Amino acid sequence: MDSPNPRAKSKITEETAYEGVYNYCHSAYDWSIAEDNPDIMYLEMGEETETEYQVIFRSYTGTFVYFHVDKSSGTTRLTEYVPSLGIEEDAGTIDLYDYLT
C-alpha cells in the first residue's frame, strides 16, 4: 500500500513560496555578477491572491521573472517581462516542491 502523497496535503505558505523560488533562482541563474553589487539582482514578494503568491525575481539585465505559486499544489507558472522592450511572455512552469529542502 502506497503512503499518501505529502505534497497533496501541505499547503504552500508565503515563506515556503519565497524559499522555493529563492532556491530555484540560485540554481537556474548566475548570481556571481551580483556579488559586488547585490542590488542589481533581487527577489521579493509580489501580490497575493486567494489562490496564489507572486514572487518577483529581477535579473541584472533588467528582466523580471514573475513566479505565480499555486497555494494548494505548488505548481508555479513563470512569466518573463522585459520592461525596456515591452515584451512579456510565458516561461514555463516548475514544481515548487522540487526546490524545497
Side-chain angles (χ1 to χ4, degrees):
M1 179 176 184
D2 290 343
S3 60
N5 181 353
R7 292 181 181 188
K9 292 185 177 182
S10 61
K11 186 174 180 180
I12 299 293
T13 65
E14 184 175 352
E15 293 77 19
T16 55
Y18 184 90
E19 176 189 350
V21 173
Y22 176 92
N23 291 339
Y24 170 82
C25 288
H26 277 79
S27 70
Y29 304 112
D30 179 11
W31 286 71
S32 65
I33 195 160
E35 286 176 6
D36 293 331
N37 186 4
D39 293 339
I40 63 171
M41 291 176 73
Y42 59 83
L43 197 63
E44 66 184 10
M45 293 303 294
E47 297 179 4
E48 177 183 351
T49 68
E50 196 172 301
T51 58
E52 76 177 22
Y53 296 108
Q54 182 184 72
V55 186
I56 304 165
F57 167 73
R58 186 203 185 272
S59 171
Y60 69 91
T61 63
T63 299
F64 290 89
V65 181
Y66 295 90
F67 293 82
H68 305 274
V69 181
D70 185 289
K71 290 180 179 181
S72 62
S73 70
T75 300
T76 304
R77 183 174 50 87
L78 285 67
T79 305
E80 288 186 2
Y81 175 59
V82 183
S84 61
L85 301 176
I87 297 172
E88 184 173 344
E89 61 186 22
D90 289 334
T93 60
I94 62 169
D95 184 342
L96 191 75
Y97 287 101
D98 290 341
Y99 298 93
L100 294 173
T101 52

